[in-house]
């Protein structure tokens, strides 16, 4: 039976969705938590607690050597939970390195399942004990990663999370993530903060709620949206003092559409790469995996919500007149900016920032890739009823899907034939968007996650320079990646 031959009603039935719009649940668990708000007029469920920074581990004399132990049992939303973390916290420690440093991480697995680690967005070697997504670390075992940051690496905001195929979504949703900052670059603010946004759903006993096959098809979104593991923390700031917020979308599937009440946002960087100039924006959209460095200059005293607006991710069935199967990242208040105290003055922002340039011509090869979702009529088994493919195939760790000569500059047109958006992520080699089906003018910088429009495409230019080796590209809705929407890129000398 062809995909077209399946009636809309039947498709909805198969997906178990009915005609209702699918959105994340209410924040019932957090609402029961009795944090004492310190500011009048906070939204229900707000913690009222000041935003806490994760522990920072900073390199010395060119080396940062850390142990990261993945294990259950962290405090979230001010309570002891059975969620997962690194070194007892979720998010794990913030790792701070500089260009030219050596990052050594001993990953210790105290989970009950295999795991590994990916340094998301770093332009570093994927080979051996580098940023190698094919590593398995068994329960009880450890692995020593050694990641050499090149001397010309961009200064910016990156992050780390497990990348074990089949359980990547469970492990991120479970709490395993942390910020990774490459220091350097122009001074932009009097104060900087990491805002690592994650979402999860906790059961009443403090365990992370399991998700069913249908939820994996949509890409799970947690009922709780957390910033540094806190629910709606308060960011205290003085009027006029510029803050640099390093916002990381560490959610498994949720798209963030950031907006700050009473303010415009000035974006300085995307995915750890500066824009050519600080750019005013009403709203900044971050797909899962994306980061933005935002410069915020608080205005008048008051409390302002940092909001993520509702964002439509498309639907699981295309066309039709009903709203059935629509998938929307729900609106959420992430944090409260509390502006108080004497006014301060900030130096003016630089007009130019050190943005990476577009890889120059010539293009040695153009490729076409296709992300697709299909009805898999084969059965109701473990794989679910939906297939998630790249170029018609699901992930096979042994197969080379793209073989690329080292040093090539290529353009890839990545088409999404499905009615749902998918964030395209390529490890190691950053991409430069040169056009997409929506006609949105591309930001003049490099990025590592590109949100593919539903029934649309994006074209990216990539320089496969500096690092030969084998790595992956995939959908950063990690439920889709786990379902097979991943493939390999082998850059050969
Ligand atoms: Cu942030 Cu391959 O992932
Ligand atoms: Cu996807």
């Amino acid at each position: 039976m062809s995909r077209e031959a399946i009636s809309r009603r039947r498709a909805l039935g198969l997906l178990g969705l009915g005609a209702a719009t699918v959105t994340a649940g209410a924040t019932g668990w957090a609402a029961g938590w009795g944090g004492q708000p310190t500011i009048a007029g906070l939204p229900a469920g707000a913690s009222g607690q000041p935003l806490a920074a994760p522990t920072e581990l900073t390199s010395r004399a060119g080396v940062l050597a850390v142990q990261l132990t993945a294990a259950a049992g962290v405090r979230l939303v001010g309570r002891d939970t059975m969620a997962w973390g690194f070194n007892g916290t979720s998010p794990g420690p913030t790792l701070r390195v500089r260009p030219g440093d050596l990052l050594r991480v001993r990953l210790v697995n105290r989970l009950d399942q295999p795991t590994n680690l990916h340094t998301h967005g770093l332009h570093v070697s994927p080979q051996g004990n580098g940023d190698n997504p094919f590593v398995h670390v068994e329960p009880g075992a450890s692995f020593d990663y050694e990641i050499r940051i090149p001397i010309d690496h961009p200064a910016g905001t990156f992050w780390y999370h497990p990348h074990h195929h089949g359980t990547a979504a469970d492990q991120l949703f479970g709490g395993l993530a942390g910020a990774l900052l490459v220091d350097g670059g122009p001074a932009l603010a009097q104060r900087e903060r990491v805002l690592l946004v994650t979402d999860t759903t906790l059961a009443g006993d403090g365990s992370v709620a399991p998700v069913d096959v249908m939820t994996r098809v949509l890409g799970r979104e947690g009922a709780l949206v957390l910033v540094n593991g806190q629910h709606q923390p308060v960011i205290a700031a003085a009027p006029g003092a510029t803050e640099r917020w390093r916002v990381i979308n560490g959610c498994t599937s949720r798209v963030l559409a950031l907006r700050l009440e009473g303010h415009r946002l000035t974006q300085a960087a995307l995915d750890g790469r500066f824009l050519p100039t600080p750019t005013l924006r009403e709203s900044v959209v971050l797909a899962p995996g994306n980061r933005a460095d935002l410069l915020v200059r608080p205005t008048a005293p008051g409390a302002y919500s940092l909001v993520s607006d509702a964002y439509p991710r498309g639907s699981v069935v295309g066309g039709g007149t009903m709203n059935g199967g629509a998938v929307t990242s729900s609106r959420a208040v992430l944090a409260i900016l509390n502006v108080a105290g004497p006014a301060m003055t900030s130096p003016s922002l630089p007009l130019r920032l050190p943005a990476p340039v577009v890889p120059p011509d010539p293009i040695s090869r153009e490729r076409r890739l296709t992300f697709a979702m299909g009805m898999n009529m084969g059965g109701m088994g473990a794989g679910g009823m939906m297939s998630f493919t790249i170029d018609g195939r699901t992930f096979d760790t042994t197969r080379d899907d793209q073989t690329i000569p080292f040093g090539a500059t290529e353009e890839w047109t990545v088409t999404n034939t499905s009615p749902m958006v998918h964030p395209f992520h390529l490890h190691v080699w950053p991409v430069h968007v040169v056009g997409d089906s929506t006609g949105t003018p591309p930001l003049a910088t490099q990025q590592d996650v590109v949100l593919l429009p539903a029934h649309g495409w994006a074209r990216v230019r990539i320089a496969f320079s500096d690092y030969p080796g084998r790595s992956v590209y995939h959908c950063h809705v990690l439920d889709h990646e786990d379902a097979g929407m991943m493939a390999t890129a082998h850059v050969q000398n």
Side-chain angles (χ1 to χ4, degrees), residues 256-271:
L256 301 175
L258 303 169
R259 186 171 52 80
L260 178 61
E261 285 178 355
H263 296 74
R264 285 202 289 175
L265 299 168
T266 301
Q267 185 172 3
L270 170 68
D271 289 357

Side-chain angles (χ1 to χ4, degrees), residues 118-121 133 159-163 172 288-289 291 425-427 448-449 471-476 478 481 486:
H118 170 44
T119 51
H120 179 127
W159 65 301
Y160 62 87
H161 63 82
H163 212 286
L172 180 59
R291 293 85 64 208
H425 172 49
L426 171 65
H427 288 206
D448 51 65
V449 177
S471 196
V472 293
Y473 52 95
H474 59 89
C475 175
H476 216 293
L478 292 183
E481 184 264 286
M486 178 155 73

